[in-house]
Amino acid sequence: MASPPLPPTMHAWLRQRRGPARTSLELATSYPTPSLPSASSAEVLIRVSYVALQFSSEVLFKTLPVIPFTAPSIAELEFTGTVVAAGSAASSDVREVGTRVVAYQNIPDMVLFGRGALV
């Protein structure tokens, strides 16, 4: 199954500062879309369909400072979506384009590298 072409930008809720979600998150309407995984990588690119903001994320937003000199983090940890691309080293369960998935992002990646899932 072929995936529709990826747009150059996407919408993403970015954590800009410490505090409750209503004041720390800002909607970016032209955030760069991630690049496709390399052919030999274990990475999977997912078009996100649904995300819910969790209580635990709200606690993190209020507690942890934004780390200087890092990109704003895309908020949230658990999501559902559809695989749009995958490297050949990705698990065979999620390698096929069009596969529906439920996935999660680990907290260190969210906090330290700004990777998340609320898009």
Side-chain angles (χ1 to χ4, degrees), residues 18 24 39 46 102:
R18 182 180 3 202
S24 65
I46 299 168
V102 175

PDB file of all heavy atoms in Angstrom, residues 18 24 39 46 102:
ATOM      1  N   ARG A  18       7.929  25.843  31.375  1.00  0.00           N
ATOM      2  CA  ARG A  18       7.402  25.052  32.486  1.00  0.00           C
ATOM      3  C   ARG A  18       6.044  25.614  32.883  1.00  0.00           C
ATOM      4  O   ARG A  18       5.825  26.815  32.843  1.00  0.00           O
ATOM      5  CB  ARG A  18       8.344  25.110  33.683  1.00  0.00           C
ATOM      6  CG  ARG A  18       7.839  24.252  34.818  1.00  0.00           C
ATOM      7  CD  ARG A  18       8.654  24.198  36.068  1.00  0.00           C
ATOM      8  NE  ARG A  18       9.840  25.008  36.164  1.00  0.00           N
ATOM      9  CZ  ARG A  18      10.840  24.759  36.985  1.00  0.00           C
ATOM     10  NH1 ARG A  18      10.795  23.727  37.778  1.00  0.00           N
ATOM     11  NH2 ARG A  18      11.872  25.543  37.039  1.00  0.00           N
ATOM     12  N   SER A  24       1.813  26.224  28.929  1.00  0.00           N
ATOM     13  CA  SER A  24       3.149  25.824  28.485  1.00  0.00           C
ATOM     14  C   SER A  24       3.171  25.294  27.053  1.00  0.00           C
ATOM     15  O   SER A  24       4.222  25.257  26.429  1.00  0.00           O
ATOM     16  CB  SER A  24       3.740  24.775  29.430  1.00  0.00           C
ATOM     17  OG  SER A  24       3.006  23.581  29.390  1.00  0.00           O
ATOM     18  N   ALA A  39      16.744   3.650   4.387  1.00  0.00           N
ATOM     19  CA  ALA A  39      16.326   2.318   3.955  1.00  0.00           C
ATOM     20  C   ALA A  39      16.764   1.216   4.917  1.00  0.00           C
ATOM     21  O   ALA A  39      16.040   0.246   5.122  1.00  0.00           O
ATOM     22  CB  ALA A  39      16.862   2.032   2.554  1.00  0.00           C
ATOM     23  N   ILE A  46       5.289   7.491  11.582  1.00  0.00           N
ATOM     24  CA  ILE A  46       3.864   7.241  11.801  1.00  0.00           C
ATOM     25  C   ILE A  46       3.079   8.529  11.618  1.00  0.00           C
ATOM     26  O   ILE A  46       3.441   9.565  12.178  1.00  0.00           O
ATOM     27  CB  ILE A  46       3.637   6.686  13.232  1.00  0.00           C
ATOM     28  CG1 ILE A  46       4.389   5.362  13.402  1.00  0.00           C
ATOM     29  CG2 ILE A  46       2.147   6.523  13.522  1.00  0.00           C
ATOM     30  CD1 ILE A  46       4.474   4.889  14.823  1.00  0.00           C
ATOM     31  N   VAL A 102      -0.489   1.305  17.751  1.00  0.00           N
ATOM     32  CA  VAL A 102      -0.591   2.009  19.020  1.00  0.00           C
ATOM     33  C   VAL A 102       0.841   2.069  19.513  1.00  0.00           C
ATOM     34  O   VAL A 102       1.534   1.048  19.555  1.00  0.00           O
ATOM     35  CB  VAL A 102      -1.477   1.258  20.033  1.00  0.00           C
ATOM     36  CG1 VAL A 102      -1.461   1.952  21.376  1.00  0.00           C
ATOM     37  CG2 VAL A 102      -2.889   1.139  19.502  1.00  0.00           C
TER      38      VAL A 102
END
